[in-house]
């Protein structure tokens, strides 16, 4: 007796690239490295989805990250990362949730690589976006 093979369900990335990148550091590196611990940030995600074919989508994740030190904005960076994604056996009613929650969560690793490298080149410590609640963002839409 052989096991019944279940069809594959999920999504896969076909391609991905940085579509737009902006970084502003108006004050240069902070003279006191201890100040880095006092930086607070504001993170704003935006997700745009375009249907390319029956099972392919273009998903663009734009993340704006602002850093503050004592109410003074010390940097702003915005990264738009685009991925072409193929969905596999995902029913139409479930696709918006997958494309707005699971796909951007998986794209966040690439966005983090860009943010870390850009911040470092801009004289700041390598930063990492630890968490964005894409489910809450999707539910608020």
């Amino acid at each position: 007796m052989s096991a019944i093979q279940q069809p594959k369900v999920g999504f896969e990335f076909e391609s991905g690239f940085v579509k737009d990148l902006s970084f502003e550091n108006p004050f240069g590196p902070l003279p006191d490295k201890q100040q880095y611990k006092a930086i607070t940030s504001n993170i704003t995600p935006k997700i745009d989805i375009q249907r390319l074919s029956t099972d392919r989508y273009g998903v663009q994740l734009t993340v704006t990250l602002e850093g503050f030190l004592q109410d003074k904005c010390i940097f702003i960076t915005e990264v738009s990362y685009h991925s072409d994604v193929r969905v596999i056996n995902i029913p139409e009613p479930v696709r918006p949730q997958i494309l707005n929650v699971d796909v951007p969560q998986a794209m966040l690793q690439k966005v983090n690589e860009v943010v870390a490298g850009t911040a470092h080149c801009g004289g700041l410590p390598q930063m990492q976006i630890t968490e964005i609640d894409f489910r809450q963002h999707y539910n608020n839409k």
Side-chain angles (χ1 to χ4, degrees):
M1 187 181 274
S2 65
I4 298 175
Q5 184 133 14
Q6 295 293 326
K8 182 178 178 183
V9 176
F11 62 89
E12 60 186 29
F13 292 105
E14 294 182 334
S15 66
F17 60 94
V18 174
K19 189 167 187 175
D20 190 29
L21 173 62
S22 173
F23 179 80
E24 296 177 39
N25 181 0
F27 305 107
L30 297 173
D32 180 4
K33 302 291 186 213
Q34 292 295 350
Q35 289 178 311
Y36 289 148
K37 295 177 185 175
I39 295 174
T40 59
S41 61
N42 182 30
I43 302 168
T44 307
K46 181 181 176 205
I47 301 162
D48 293 308
I49 299 169
Q50 178 184 12
R51 189 173 202 148
L52 304 174
S53 67
T54 304
D55 63 349
R56 290 183 63 243
Y57 294 83
V59 179
Q60 183 170 305
L61 171 60
T62 302
V63 177
T64 304
L65 177 62
E66 301 170 297
F68 298 91
L69 184 62
Q70 302 168 352
D71 297 331
K72 182 166 93 173
C73 185
I74 59 169
F75 72 87
I76 300 173
T77 187
E78 184 173 272
V79 178
S80 292
Y81 193 85
H82 178 93
S83 290
D84 287 339
V85 179
R86 186 168 71 92
V87 295
I88 305 159
N89 296 322
I90 296 176
E92 284 288 338
V94 181
R95 287 184 184 189
Q97 181 175 336
I98 298 297
L99 293 167
N100 281 282
V101 178
D102 298 326
V103 170
Q105 185 65 50
M107 292 169 68
L108 194 55
Q109 177 183 351
K110 290 294 186 184
V111 170
N112 263 325
E113 291 174 14
V114 174
V115 167
T118 303
H120 178 71
C121 290
L124 297 169
Q126 287 190 359
M127 296 174 208
Q128 185 167 355
I129 301 168
T130 54
E131 187 174 324
I132 296 176
D133 190 344
F134 290 107
R135 185 166 310 284
Q136 180 181 353
H137 185 263
Y138 173 66
N139 289 338
N140 290 341
K141 274 179 143 180

